[in-house]
Amino acid sequence: FTVVSSAVIFSVGPNPFTNYLNITSPTPIKAMVLFTSNGQVVQRSSNFNGGRWNMGRQLPGGMYILKILTTDGKEFIRKLVK
């Protein structure tokens, strides 16, 4: 999916994902956190410049929430399925 907000084009995919996500953002990403649907943190990354985020095969199938914070203070939250 792609989000266009105030001339910002932000993209996360594929959804459903397998072992990775492709993430593009015109603004550098300060932090990303992947949560289970129960709120448990399962993966973190900081200072991500976009591209492929490898999740690994250890994540079981199910619903996840991805929270992204950009260096300019914008926050994006997306529901994902594995």
Side-chain angles (χ1 to χ4, degrees), residues 12-15 17 19-23 34 48 51-55 66 80:
V12 174
N15 191 15
F17 69 98
N19 300 321
Y20 67 90
L21 289 169
N22 290 317
I23 300 170
L34 186 68
F48 187 80
R52 182 176 278 207
W53 190 26
N54 290 313
M55 309 301 239
L66 177 64
L80 301 169

PDB file of all heavy atoms in Angstrom, residues 12-15 17 19-23 34 48 51-55 66 80:
ATOM      1  N   VAL A  12       4.788   0.648   1.953  1.00  0.00           N
ATOM      2  CA  VAL A  12       5.181  -0.573   2.660  1.00  0.00           C
ATOM      3  C   VAL A  12       4.537  -1.742   1.927  1.00  0.00           C
ATOM      4  O   VAL A  12       3.350  -1.709   1.639  1.00  0.00           O
ATOM      5  CB  VAL A  12       4.693  -0.568   4.127  1.00  0.00           C
ATOM      6  CG1 VAL A  12       4.996  -1.902   4.789  1.00  0.00           C
ATOM      7  CG2 VAL A  12       5.304   0.559   4.908  1.00  0.00           C
ATOM      8  N   GLY A  13       5.294  -2.770   1.630  1.00  0.00           N
ATOM      9  CA  GLY A  13       4.727  -3.931   0.953  1.00  0.00           C
ATOM     10  C   GLY A  13       5.740  -5.048   0.886  1.00  0.00           C
ATOM     11  O   GLY A  13       6.888  -4.847   1.247  1.00  0.00           O
ATOM     12  N   PRO A  14       5.390  -6.194   0.494  1.00  0.00           N
ATOM     13  CA  PRO A  14       4.028  -6.617   0.159  1.00  0.00           C
ATOM     14  C   PRO A  14       3.189  -6.868   1.407  1.00  0.00           C
ATOM     15  O   PRO A  14       3.736  -7.031   2.484  1.00  0.00           O
ATOM     16  CB  PRO A  14       4.264  -7.938  -0.595  1.00  0.00           C
ATOM     17  CG  PRO A  14       5.526  -8.480  -0.009  1.00  0.00           C
ATOM     18  CD  PRO A  14       6.359  -7.273   0.345  1.00  0.00           C
ATOM     19  N   ASN A  15       1.912  -6.870   1.231  1.00  0.00           N
ATOM     20  CA  ASN A  15       0.999  -7.179   2.323  1.00  0.00           C
ATOM     21  C   ASN A  15      -0.110  -8.059   1.756  1.00  0.00           C
ATOM     22  O   ASN A  15      -0.915  -7.565   0.984  1.00  0.00           O
ATOM     23  CB  ASN A  15       0.421  -5.908   2.922  1.00  0.00           C
ATOM     24  CG  ASN A  15      -0.313  -6.145   4.215  1.00  0.00           C
ATOM     25  OD1 ASN A  15      -0.186  -7.176   4.830  1.00  0.00           O
ATOM     26  ND2 ASN A  15      -1.106  -5.169   4.628  1.00  0.00           N
ATOM     27  N   PHE A  17       2.964 -10.195   3.820  1.00  0.00           N
ATOM     28  CA  PHE A  17       4.402 -10.329   3.620  1.00  0.00           C
ATOM     29  C   PHE A  17       4.847 -11.749   3.988  1.00  0.00           C
ATOM     30  O   PHE A  17       4.106 -12.499   4.596  1.00  0.00           O
ATOM     31  CB  PHE A  17       5.173  -9.286   4.433  1.00  0.00           C
ATOM     32  CG  PHE A  17       5.152  -9.472   5.928  1.00  0.00           C
ATOM     33  CD1 PHE A  17       6.206 -10.089   6.576  1.00  0.00           C
ATOM     34  CD2 PHE A  17       4.087  -9.013   6.697  1.00  0.00           C
ATOM     35  CE1 PHE A  17       6.207 -10.251   7.949  1.00  0.00           C
ATOM     36  CE2 PHE A  17       4.078  -9.166   8.070  1.00  0.00           C
ATOM     37  CZ  PHE A  17       5.135  -9.791   8.705  1.00  0.00           C
ATOM     38  N   ASN A  19       8.953 -12.903   4.470  1.00  0.00           N
ATOM     39  CA  ASN A  19      10.098 -12.742   5.368  1.00  0.00           C
ATOM     40  C   ASN A  19      10.718 -11.359   5.301  1.00  0.00           C
ATOM     41  O   ASN A  19      11.754 -11.120   5.908  1.00  0.00           O
ATOM     42  CB  ASN A  19      11.156 -13.802   5.053  1.00  0.00           C
ATOM     43  CG  ASN A  19      10.606 -15.195   5.217  1.00  0.00           C
ATOM     44  OD1 ASN A  19       9.845 -15.460   6.136  1.00  0.00           O
ATOM     45  ND2 ASN A  19      10.984 -16.085   4.332  1.00  0.00           N
ATOM     46  N   TYR A  20      10.128 -10.451   4.546  1.00  0.00           N
ATOM     47  CA  TYR A  20      10.687  -9.109   4.392  1.00  0.00           C
ATOM     48  C   TYR A  20       9.576  -8.115   4.039  1.00  0.00           C
ATOM     49  O   TYR A  20       8.487  -8.507   3.621  1.00  0.00           O
ATOM     50  CB  TYR A  20      11.751  -9.082   3.290  1.00  0.00           C
ATOM     51  CG  TYR A  20      11.171  -9.326   1.925  1.00  0.00           C
ATOM     52  CD1 TYR A  20      10.719  -8.260   1.149  1.00  0.00           C
ATOM     53  CD2 TYR A  20      11.023 -10.608   1.412  1.00  0.00           C
ATOM     54  CE1 TYR A  20      10.149  -8.477  -0.092  1.00  0.00           C
ATOM     55  CE2 TYR A  20      10.467 -10.835   0.181  1.00  0.00           C
ATOM     56  CZ  TYR A  20      10.025  -9.766  -0.579  1.00  0.00           C
ATOM     57  OH  TYR A  20       9.450  -9.975  -1.798  1.00  0.00           O
ATOM     58  N   LEU A  21       9.903  -6.834   4.218  1.00  0.00           N
ATOM     59  CA  LEU A  21       9.043  -5.736   3.764  1.00  0.00           C
ATOM     60  C   LEU A  21       9.894  -4.787   2.943  1.00  0.00           C
ATOM     61  O   LEU A  21      11.040  -4.514   3.300  1.00  0.00           O
ATOM     62  CB  LEU A  21       8.454  -4.969   4.953  1.00  0.00           C
ATOM     63  CG  LEU A  21       7.397  -5.687   5.767  1.00  0.00           C
ATOM     64  CD1 LEU A  21       7.119  -4.912   7.051  1.00  0.00           C
ATOM     65  CD2 LEU A  21       6.123  -5.840   4.961  1.00  0.00           C
ATOM     66  N   ASN A  22       9.339  -4.274   1.863  1.00  0.00           N
ATOM     67  CA  ASN A  22       9.977  -3.204   1.108  1.00  0.00           C
ATOM     68  C   ASN A  22       9.366  -1.898   1.601  1.00  0.00           C
ATOM     69  O   ASN A  22       8.151  -1.724   1.560  1.00  0.00           O
ATOM     70  CB  ASN A  22       9.737  -3.363  -0.395  1.00  0.00           C
ATOM     71  CG  ASN A  22      10.496  -4.536  -0.953  1.00  0.00           C
ATOM     72  OD1 ASN A  22      11.653  -4.745  -0.613  1.00  0.00           O
ATOM     73  ND2 ASN A  22       9.851  -5.316  -1.790  1.00  0.00           N
ATOM     74  N   ILE A  23      10.222  -0.991   2.066  1.00  0.00           N
ATOM     75  CA  ILE A  23       9.750   0.259   2.649  1.00  0.00           C
ATOM     76  C   ILE A  23      10.425   1.416   1.941  1.00  0.00           C
ATOM     77  O   ILE A  23      11.653   1.447   1.820  1.00  0.00           O
ATOM     78  CB  ILE A  23      10.061   0.302   4.159  1.00  0.00           C
ATOM     79  CG1 ILE A  23       9.367  -0.874   4.849  1.00  0.00           C
ATOM     80  CG2 ILE A  23       9.641   1.631   4.766  1.00  0.00           C
ATOM     81  CD1 ILE A  23       9.768  -1.082   6.283  1.00  0.00           C
ATOM     82  N   LEU A  34       7.785  -3.464  15.012  1.00  0.00           N
ATOM     83  CA  LEU A  34       6.756  -4.396  14.584  1.00  0.00           C
ATOM     84  C   LEU A  34       6.180  -5.071  15.826  1.00  0.00           C
ATOM     85  O   LEU A  34       6.925  -5.615  16.647  1.00  0.00           O
ATOM     86  CB  LEU A  34       7.347  -5.450  13.639  1.00  0.00           C
ATOM     87  CG  LEU A  34       6.339  -6.392  13.006  1.00  0.00           C
ATOM     88  CD1 LEU A  34       5.445  -5.650  12.011  1.00  0.00           C
ATOM     89  CD2 LEU A  34       7.050  -7.546  12.323  1.00  0.00           C
ATOM     90  N   PHE A  48      16.771   3.694   9.659  1.00  0.00           N
ATOM     91  CA  PHE A  48      16.547   2.921   8.433  1.00  0.00           C
ATOM     92  C   PHE A  48      16.393   3.888   7.274  1.00  0.00           C
ATOM     93  O   PHE A  48      15.623   4.837   7.350  1.00  0.00           O
ATOM     94  CB  PHE A  48      15.286   2.073   8.614  1.00  0.00           C
ATOM     95  CG  PHE A  48      15.013   1.112   7.508  1.00  0.00           C
ATOM     96  CD1 PHE A  48      15.693  -0.090   7.444  1.00  0.00           C
ATOM     97  CD2 PHE A  48      14.067   1.392   6.549  1.00  0.00           C
ATOM     98  CE1 PHE A  48      15.420  -1.003   6.426  1.00  0.00           C
ATOM     99  CE2 PHE A  48      13.790   0.504   5.531  1.00  0.00           C
ATOM    100  CZ  PHE A  48      14.470  -0.698   5.470  1.00  0.00           C
ATOM    101  N   GLY A  51      14.279   0.625   1.767  1.00  0.00           N
ATOM    102  CA  GLY A  51      14.730  -0.588   1.110  1.00  0.00           C
ATOM    103  C   GLY A  51      14.060  -1.805   1.717  1.00  0.00           C
ATOM    104  O   GLY A  51      12.925  -1.747   2.174  1.00  0.00           O
ATOM    105  N   ARG A  52      14.792  -2.898   1.759  1.00  0.00           N
ATOM    106  CA  ARG A  52      14.243  -4.164   2.247  1.00  0.00           C
ATOM    107  C   ARG A  52      14.551  -4.340   3.729  1.00  0.00           C
ATOM    108  O   ARG A  52      15.690  -4.236   4.146  1.00  0.00           O
ATOM    109  CB  ARG A  52      14.841  -5.320   1.457  1.00  0.00           C
ATOM    110  CG  ARG A  52      14.279  -6.667   1.882  1.00  0.00           C
ATOM    111  CD  ARG A  52      14.819  -7.759   1.023  1.00  0.00           C
ATOM    112  NE  ARG A  52      14.025  -7.779  -0.198  1.00  0.00           N
ATOM    113  CZ  ARG A  52      13.831  -8.854  -0.943  1.00  0.00           C
ATOM    114  NH1 ARG A  52      14.415  -9.980  -0.630  1.00  0.00           N
ATOM    115  NH2 ARG A  52      13.093  -8.796  -2.003  1.00  0.00           N
ATOM    116  N   TRP A  53      13.504  -4.614   4.507  1.00  0.00           N
ATOM    117  CA  TRP A  53      13.661  -4.909   5.935  1.00  0.00           C
ATOM    118  C   TRP A  53      13.412  -6.394   6.098  1.00  0.00           C
ATOM    119  O   TRP A  53      12.283  -6.873   5.972  1.00  0.00           O
ATOM    120  CB  TRP A  53      12.678  -4.092   6.760  1.00  0.00           C
ATOM    121  CG  TRP A  53      12.906  -4.148   8.247  1.00  0.00           C
ATOM    122  CD1 TRP A  53      14.086  -4.387   8.877  1.00  0.00           C
ATOM    123  CD2 TRP A  53      11.936  -3.960   9.279  1.00  0.00           C
ATOM    124  NE1 TRP A  53      13.919  -4.350  10.239  1.00  0.00           N
ATOM    125  CE2 TRP A  53      12.601  -4.087  10.512  1.00  0.00           C
ATOM    126  CE3 TRP A  53      10.585  -3.690   9.289  1.00  0.00           C
ATOM    127  CZ2 TRP A  53      11.956  -3.957  11.730  1.00  0.00           C
ATOM    128  CZ3 TRP A  53       9.939  -3.561  10.497  1.00  0.00           C
ATOM    129  CH2 TRP A  53      10.622  -3.688  11.708  1.00  0.00           C
ATOM    130  N   ASN A  54      14.471  -7.144   6.353  1.00  0.00           N
ATOM    131  CA  ASN A  54      14.358  -8.592   6.512  1.00  0.00           C
ATOM    132  C   ASN A  54      13.819  -8.922   7.897  1.00  0.00           C
ATOM    133  O   ASN A  54      14.379  -8.508   8.896  1.00  0.00           O
ATOM    134  CB  ASN A  54      15.707  -9.268   6.279  1.00  0.00           C
ATOM    135  CG  ASN A  54      16.111  -9.197   4.834  1.00  0.00           C
ATOM    136  OD1 ASN A  54      15.323  -9.486   3.952  1.00  0.00           O
ATOM    137  ND2 ASN A  54      17.329  -8.790   4.568  1.00  0.00           N
ATOM    138  N   MET A  55      12.755  -9.686   7.925  1.00  0.00           N
ATOM    139  CA  MET A  55      12.099 -10.047   9.170  1.00  0.00           C
ATOM    140  C   MET A  55      12.555 -11.394   9.698  1.00  0.00           C
ATOM    141  O   MET A  55      12.399 -11.672  10.871  1.00  0.00           O
ATOM    142  CB  MET A  55      10.579 -10.109   8.973  1.00  0.00           C
ATOM    143  CG  MET A  55      10.025  -8.888   8.319  1.00  0.00           C
ATOM    144  SD  MET A  55      10.392  -7.455   9.265  1.00  0.00           S
ATOM    145  CE  MET A  55       8.800  -6.880   9.566  1.00  0.00           C
ATOM    146  N   LEU A  66       2.786  -2.348  12.263  1.00  0.00           N
ATOM    147  CA  LEU A  66       4.075  -1.706  12.021  1.00  0.00           C
ATOM    148  C   LEU A  66       3.944  -0.219  12.346  1.00  0.00           C
ATOM    149  O   LEU A  66       3.069   0.461  11.823  1.00  0.00           O
ATOM    150  CB  LEU A  66       4.496  -1.873  10.561  1.00  0.00           C
ATOM    151  CG  LEU A  66       5.784  -1.181  10.148  1.00  0.00           C
ATOM    152  CD1 LEU A  66       6.985  -1.760  10.894  1.00  0.00           C
ATOM    153  CD2 LEU A  66       5.984  -1.285   8.646  1.00  0.00           C
ATOM    154  N   LEU A  80      -0.409  -5.276   9.073  1.00  0.00           N
ATOM    155  CA  LEU A  80       0.205  -6.191   8.119  1.00  0.00           C
ATOM    156  C   LEU A  80      -0.192  -7.620   8.442  1.00  0.00           C
ATOM    157  O   LEU A  80      -0.478  -7.949   9.599  1.00  0.00           O
ATOM    158  CB  LEU A  80       1.724  -6.080   8.177  1.00  0.00           C
ATOM    159  CG  LEU A  80       2.316  -4.710   7.877  1.00  0.00           C
ATOM    160  CD1 LEU A  80       3.785  -4.687   8.245  1.00  0.00           C
ATOM    161  CD2 LEU A  80       2.131  -4.362   6.415  1.00  0.00           C
TER     162      LEU A  80
END
